[in-house]
Amino acid sequence: MQIAIQTDGSSRKKVMLTSILFMGLGHIIYLKEYLKGAFYALIEILMLAFSPIIVNKLINLVTLGSPQPDVPIKMRDNSIFMLIDGVIILAILFIFVAIYIISVRSALESYDAYCVHGSFKSEKHIISSTVQKAFPIFGLVPSVGLVLFFVVVPLVFSACVAFTNYAAPNNIPPNNTVDWVGLSNFKTMFGGNAAWSTGFGRVALWTVVWGALATFTCYFGGMIMAVVLQQSKLKIAPLFRTIFILPYAVPAVVSMLVWANLLNGSFGIVNRTLIELGITSSAIPWLSNEWLAKFVCVLVNLWAGFPYFMLLITGSMTAISNDIYEAATIDGANQFQIFKRIILPLVLYQTTPLIIMSFTHNINNFGAIFFLTTGYPVVADSTTTGAGGTDILVTWIYKLTVNLLKYNYAAVLAVVIFVVLAPFAIYNFRRTKSYKDGEL
């Protein structure tokens, strides 16, 4: 059925209302875009056909199931599966709403074009222009779909767990159901329980300090080695670069486990050597003293991480023209002044985004802490929280999930890391000069 519309814009409201009433209806009734309208209408028909399933999944998302003590365990409601299904359904509804909005805008754009030209476009022209406009969208669909279902959905699921009581021993599906508890977990972590709040404050502070120290030491350690090897004019500089890159070339897991054995307080070769040489009369608690263990973490991470920045800064320095060095030398600048006034500003300009990325990486550097110290030594609140003296937030999350089965508290920490770290990284990256059109 075709209904006449006016070219003076007075029928715009009719087109919009019919397009909102049912997806693609405006295209079919008013605009003679039958294929496009049928495509949009088919999408809504499919959603209506699956609406009972969708409504059921959304109800399950709200209730998370009910206790069924008389039902065999395998047949009971699994709250976590219901939560996952509900989040996926929300993602699908988000896509559907986006397509709905696109269909309405498409109808209005077609009507505006009809008002300008005074006639409808041919079906062939409509298909050609639609394919041309939609090609970039269809090209992005696979990437957007992968990001949505493999990045956004897991993030939303993790955030939802933070508002439940998903934890051992009383709320582990399928034996028991999980319930929504609102902000209860956040209150416990941020002051409602002395042990948990103390543990969180201690671990969060050390995480920030660790991230800053690990980034600072590796970056400037790499810069010092890069400058020394370039400015010293040693003929065997390539050999030293090869030697220094070995810690970075070896997998971090292997390196950290080797260092953990070398620094073992009981049978580690470092302590045995120091005792044999008479430097110390007793074993040094490298990994069993809280503050010494933290120092060891930073030191070993420096050993493993500075080669990356050494190579990166060496590459940046090769882009600096020799004419600049010669001009500085003629002006009477010494090596330190050349480094301070020329090398450091230019290298920082090129590598500031990587410094920010390195900081965010070190905040979540699981291997450097866990494989070296396993998060220990034990401190006052470790019995309750499971967090050791050298644990950072990401290793604490691992212990909460694997050892204690406190998924709700682990999700709270994951939310905190994301909320604090993501805006920080984005804000600082956008403020760098290299981000702003490359202006020095």
Side-chain angles (χ1 to χ4, degrees):
M1 180 180 67
Q2 179 66 38
I3 300 177
I5 56 175
Q6 304 298 321
T7 60
D8 58 359
S10 59
S11 299
R12 180 183 176 87
K13 189 175 182 181
K14 295 180 181 179
V15 174
M16 183 175 68
L17 289 176
T18 52
S19 299
I20 294 174
L21 182 63
F22 197 92
M23 192 186 299
L25 191 60
H27 295 83
I28 297 173
I29 295 178
Y30 293 109
L31 303 171
K32 293 185 179 181
E33 297 180 349
Y34 301 113
L35 288 178
K36 186 188 292 187
F39 171 75
Y40 287 129
L42 179 62
I43 293 176
E44 183 159 354
I45 290 171
L46 289 174
M47 289 297 295
L48 291 175
F50 287 99
S51 59
I53 298 175
I54 293 173
V55 171
N56 182 58
K57 296 296 184 182
L58 292 177
I59 292 174
N60 289 338
L61 175 63
V62 174
T63 62
L64 295 181
S66 57
Q68 298 170 305
D70 299 329
V71 177
I73 291 179
K74 291 184 178 181
M75 299 178 63
R76 295 178 186 176
D77 290 340
N78 192 310
S79 301
I80 297 305
F81 289 171
M82 291 179 174
L83 180 57
I84 295 172
D85 291 343
V87 173
I88 292 175
I89 290 297
L90 289 178
I92 294 173
L93 288 176
F94 172 81
I95 296 173
F96 174 72
V97 171
I99 296 175
Y100 215 124
I101 293 172
I102 291 172
S103 72
V104 175
R105 293 182 61 181
S106 173
L108 294 177
E109 289 173 1
S110 297
Y111 175 71
D112 292 338
Y114 168 74
C115 292
V116 173
H117 299 96
S119 61
F120 292 107
K121 297 178 182 178
S122 65
E123 195 71 34
K124 183 178 180 181
H125 185 272
I126 292 172
I127 295 173
S128 176
S129 61
T130 302
V131 170
Q132 196 171 26
K133 290 180 180 179
F135 178 76
I137 297 175
F138 282 113
L140 290 173
V141 163
S143 299
V144 173
L146 289 173
V147 171
L148 181 62
F149 287 100
F150 292 98
V151 177
V152 177
V153 168
L155 286 176
V156 174
F157 169 75
S158 298
C160 290
V161 171
F163 298 93
T164 68
N165 57 359
Y166 182 26
N170 298 322
N171 298 100
I172 298 294
N175 188 44
N176 306 105
T177 57
V178 173
D179 304 306
W180 295 105
V181 294
L183 298 175
S184 175
N185 298 322
F186 291 87
K187 292 178 181 178
T188 300
M189 192 66 71
F190 299 142
N193 183 286
W196 286 101
S197 58
T198 300
F200 172 77
R202 174 178 56 80
V203 174
L205 178 61
W206 164 236
T207 301
V208 175
V209 173
W210 153 258
L213 289 177
T215 304
F216 177 85
T217 54
C218 288
Y219 182 81
F220 284 99
M223 176 177 286
I224 291 171
M225 295 310 304
V227 172
V228 168
L229 291 176
Q230 186 189 56
Q231 299 296 328
S232 61
K233 307 298 182 183
L234 290 173
K235 293 183 179 180
I236 58 173
L239 175 62
F240 280 106
R241 289 194 184 98
T242 303
I243 295 173
F244 290 151
I245 200 63
L246 290 178
Y248 184 71
V250 177
V253 176
V254 176
S255 298
M256 296 304 161
L257 291 177
V258 169
W259 275 108
N261 287 314
L262 292 176
L263 296 171
N264 186 279
S266 302
F267 55 81
I269 192 173
V270 173
N271 275 336
R272 291 172 60 186
T273 301
L274 293 176
I275 293 173
E276 289 293 331
L277 294 175
I279 297 176
T280 179
S281 58
S282 60
I284 299 175
W286 299 107
L287 303 178
S288 56
N289 177 274
E290 179 182 358
W291 298 104
L292 189 55
K294 290 179 178 178
F295 172 77
V296 168
C297 287
V298 175
L299 194 63
V300 173
N301 184 73
L302 169 62
W303 173 85
F306 87 89
Y308 167 76
F309 283 108
M310 182 189 72
L311 292 179
L312 181 69
I313 293 169
T314 299
S316 299
M317 290 172 61
T318 56
I320 303 174
S321 174
N322 288 327
D323 295 339
I324 298 177
Y325 294 128
E326 292 175 1
T329 303
I330 293 172
D331 288 341
N334 55 35
Q335 292 294 328
F336 178 75
Q337 290 172 328
I338 291 174
F339 170 77
K340 181 180 178 181
R341 300 294 183 182
I342 298 175
I343 297 176
L344 183 61
L346 291 176
V347 169
L348 279 175
Y349 162 71
Q350 295 177 342
T351 58
T352 296
L354 294 174
I355 296 175
I356 297 170
M357 291 175 62
S358 178
F359 175 75
T360 57
H361 164 73
N362 283 316
I363 289 291
N364 293 305
N365 195 345
F366 178 87
I369 297 293
F370 189 81
F371 295 115
L372 181 62
T373 67
T374 324
Y376 294 112
V378 174
V379 293
D381 57 79
S382 296
T383 304
T384 302
T385 64
T390 59
D391 268 318
I392 57 177
L393 289 174
V394 68
T395 60
W396 191 18
I397 290 174
Y398 175 84
K399 289 182 176 180
L400 286 173
T401 54
V402 176
N403 298 343
L404 301 180
L405 302 182
K406 300 288 185 182
Y407 300 103
N408 51 350
Y409 293 152
V412 170
L413 297 180
V415 170
V416 170
I417 292 175
F418 178 80
V419 169
V420 173
L421 204 58
F424 168 81
I426 295 171
Y427 174 76
N428 281 278
F429 181 72
R430 289 174 62 88
R431 286 176 59 87
T432 59
K433 291 183 179 180
S434 52
Y435 176 85
K436 299 176 180 178
D437 300 327
E439 296 180 3
L440 282 169

